[in-house]
Amino acid sequence: MLYHFGVLTSSVHMAWTRAVCGRLEMRYSYSNTIVYNNFIWPETTADQRAHIESTAQGILDARALYPGASLADLSDATTMPKELRDAHNANDRAVLAAYGFGKGATESEIVARLMTLYAEATK
């Protein structure tokens, strides 16, 4: 469960979401059939998977430091507590590494690679 949470809360999955997800006004309309089911998960080693699980737990631990805050408060890029931002950054690095991306991978590079992986998976 932690592994899935870690990948789904990563910048990689968010890049995929922004690329393929529909919108309703300004909000994303996340669909299991379009977004989730077509998302290509990384092929991980046991160590990579364990590291993602650890960083995902770090996100949950950082959220727990703010029991009175709403998820919306904790997700806002301008008000996110430093501990939580650091935990998300650590998780992003772990997920990016699992896909073979370097530290400076751009969103367009991430989406291009995911689209290539998707095309290969659906041949």
Side-chain angles (χ1 to χ4, degrees), residues 1-73:
M1 243 357 172
L2 282 172
Y3 167 74
H4 295 99
F5 174 75
V7 174
L8 291 174
T9 59
S10 73
S11 60
V12 174
H13 185 68
M14 287 308 302
W16 177 257
T17 299
R18 283 188 285 274
V20 303
C21 193
R23 287 203 179 226
L24 180 60
E25 297 171 356
M26 293 301 293
R27 300 176 306 255
Y28 291 109
S29 179
Y30 192 100
S31 164
N32 67 321
T33 56
I34 295 173
V35 184
Y36 182 83
N37 290 344
N38 295 315
F39 180 66
I40 302 298
W41 292 77
E43 292 184 24
T44 58
T45 65
D47 287 344
Q48 287 172 321
R49 190 177 185 99
H51 186 51
I52 292 169
E53 289 172 351
S54 175
T55 59
Q57 184 62 56
I59 292 170
L60 296 175
D61 293 345
R63 284 182 181 174
L65 296 172
Y66 302 91
S70 70
L71 191 54
D73 292 337

Side-chain angles (χ1 to χ4, degrees), residues 11 92-93 96-97 100-106 109-110:
S11 60
D92 284 342
R93 286 190 301 274
L96 286 165
F101 290 112
K103 182 179 178 182
T106 66
E109 291 169 333
I110 293 168

Side-chain angles (χ1 to χ4, degrees), residues 99-120:
Y99 279 98
F101 290 112
K103 182 179 178 182
T106 66
E107 183 161 322
S108 59
E109 291 169 333
I110 293 168
V111 171
R113 177 73 178 132
L114 291 174
M115 290 293 182
T116 298
L117 292 171
Y118 176 79
E120 292 169 1

